[in-house]
Amino acid sequence: MMEKQTISMVIPCYCEEEVIPLFYDTLVNEVISQMPTVDFEILFIDDGSKDKTLTIIKDLNKKDRRIKYISFSRNFGKEAAIYAGLNYATGNYIGIMDVDLQDPPALIMPMYEALINEDVDCVAACRESRAKESRIRSFFAKRFYKLINRMTGMEIVEGARDFRLMKRFVVEAVLAVGEYNRFSKGIFEWVGFKTKWLPYQDAKRAAGKTKWSFWELCLYSMEGIIGFSTAPLAFASATGLLFCGLSFVAIVVIIIREILWHGSAYGWASLVCLIFLISGIQLFSIGILGQYLAKTYLETKKRPIFIVKERN
């Protein structure tokens, strides 16, 4: 007889007291009860929540021993929560999903079927549309995927979610990428392996409010680009060379104009504008360099990605 398989679902949580009971009921009723031949480990990662998230998880654990939890000493971010969950998960197959039910739990069943019946190592979900998002947020999200794919040479699927189910060796490869500044979508793509994508319709959050503001998403996008591409540095260098060339041409033009038409080299207003423009380009380029230097600085510190306060 085949050994009974175990699926570990890693669930990052930050101040999600309203939605956790709904998520648990949905996961049990729509997935676990429909898969009697598979054992489940439900691993909640409390990312330093300031509400009753951990208390609710502990209450659920009292009635369902399949529930495990890890609680951080403070908020380390979703990437740290994902990394911690993958570290502590014990199943033959390990999945990641959000607790807000925007990731439909029912997809776990076709994900598992694909892993055991098809020649794939990972099954991931991607949104077919962004109808539930604002137009501005949707526009910038689409531009981001095109930009990062062009700059990194990778092929991150547009609408890709962290929601996925993986075989154990895929998770071990992801954990081997032990960098402090993490961008999971890029890491999953970088480690390779055969991935099958399951499209699904966008869904609204079941309860509570999103913890991702537009500005935080922009910063997260920058993390992804800086973490997997040196193209911004090349852009800064190319911009510097371009302005050096333009400056040389401008000097030649001014000298020729002064020789032919005496007293023509004037115009303090235009000179001030040029100084501001070139200074802005210089500061922008220094800023790009500073971002890479900051990431290098954080990596060399070798600080832990997360600190566990308590776990069961």
Side-chain angles (χ1 to χ4, degrees):
M1 293 179 64
M2 291 182 62
E3 182 183 354
K4 198 171 185 180
Q5 301 295 298
T6 301
I7 295 177
S8 296
M9 294 305 302
V10 175
I11 322 293
C13 302
Y14 177 64
C15 298
E16 298 286 5
E17 61 180 2
E18 296 178 46
V19 77
I20 287 177
L22 296 174
F23 170 82
Y24 172 75
D25 291 340
T26 303
L27 183 64
V28 170
N29 296 329
E30 294 186 6
V31 180
I32 297 178
S33 63
Q34 305 299 317
M35 301 176 69
T37 60
V38 180
D39 287 333
F40 272 84
E41 177 185 55
I42 308 171
L43 181 54
F44 287 100
I45 314 297
D46 173 37
D47 188 18
S49 298
K50 299 176 182 178
D51 60 1
K52 297 180 180 179
T53 292
L54 183 58
T55 302
I56 293 172
I57 294 172
K58 287 181 176 179
D59 291 340
L60 290 173
N61 169 250
K62 291 176 183 178
K63 67 177 184 179
D64 189 342
R65 292 301 175 181
R66 292 171 298 196
I67 291 180
K68 308 292 177 62
Y69 64 84
I70 298 168
S71 181
F72 289 169
S73 59
R74 65 169 179 84
N75 178 238
F76 283 89
K78 184 180 179 181
E79 290 293 343
I82 290 175
Y83 184 78
L86 296 181
N87 256 301
Y88 282 93
T90 61
N92 309 98
Y93 301 92
I94 297 96
I96 305 168
M97 67 185 304
D98 290 341
V99 74
D100 56 16
L101 292 176
Q102 287 186 293
D103 298 334
L107 281 182
I108 294 174
M109 289 183 284
M111 284 179 171
Y112 178 68
E113 292 294 329
L115 286 177
I116 62 175
N117 295 321
E118 301 178 29
D119 184 25
V120 293
D121 306 312
C122 172
V123 184
C126 62
R127 290 187 290 189
E128 286 186 311
S129 68
R130 295 178 175 270
K132 302 296 189 299
E133 285 187 347
S134 66
R135 291 184 178 181
I136 294 177
R137 191 163 175 168
S138 178
F139 171 80
F140 280 102
K142 291 179 180 179
R143 300 288 82 74
F144 164 71
Y145 283 109
K146 290 183 179 179
L147 180 64
I148 193 171
N149 286 340
R150 182 174 296 179
M151 295 177 75
T152 62
M154 298 191 298
E155 295 183 5
I156 301 176
V157 174
E158 183 179 326
R161 301 281 289 174
D162 292 321
F163 185 23
R164 61 187 61 224
L165 190 63
M166 301 165 281
K167 293 180 179 178
R168 166 61 63 177
F169 59 80
V170 178
V171 172
E172 290 174 353
V174 171
L175 292 175
V177 184
E179 56 198 47
Y180 182 82
N181 301 283
R182 303 185 68 79
F183 180 70
S184 289
K185 289 185 178 68
I187 293 174
F188 290 134
E189 181 65 28
W190 186 85
V191 297
F193 300 106
K194 295 181 180 179
T195 301
K196 178 179 180 179
W197 292 94
L198 293 181
Y200 72 95
Q201 293 296 325
D202 194 13
K204 285 186 176 181
R205 168 179 267 272
K209 296 180 179 180
T210 180
K211 310 306 181 295
W212 289 91
S213 66
F214 180 77
W215 176 244
E216 286 173 326
L217 286 172
C218 289
L219 293 177
Y220 185 58
S221 301
M222 289 176 58
E223 289 277 352
I225 293 172
I226 293 172
F228 287 89
S229 173
T230 56
L233 290 173
F235 172 77
S237 299
T239 303
L241 288 173
L242 174 63
F243 270 82
C244 284
L246 290 175
S247 300
F248 178 76
V249 172
I251 291 171
V252 172
V253 170
I254 290 172
I255 292 173
I256 294 174
R257 194 173 64 174
E258 180 66 22
I259 293 173
L260 297 178
W261 302 282
H262 300 286
S264 63
Y266 58 85
W268 67 270
S270 57
L271 182 61
V272 169
C273 291
L274 284 173
I275 291 173
F276 270 96
L277 174 62
I278 295 173
S279 299
I281 295 295
Q282 288 176 331
L283 289 174
F284 177 69
S285 300
I286 292 171
I288 292 175
L289 182 61
Q291 286 294 317
Y292 281 90
L293 184 60
K295 301 306 177 188
T296 305
Y297 173 67
L298 292 173
E299 292 290 344
T300 56
K301 280 177 173 287
K302 300 296 181 183
R303 287 177 176 172
I305 297 173
F306 60 91
I307 297 174
V308 176
K309 180 180 179 181
E310 61 176 298
R311 63 186 177 93
N312 62 339

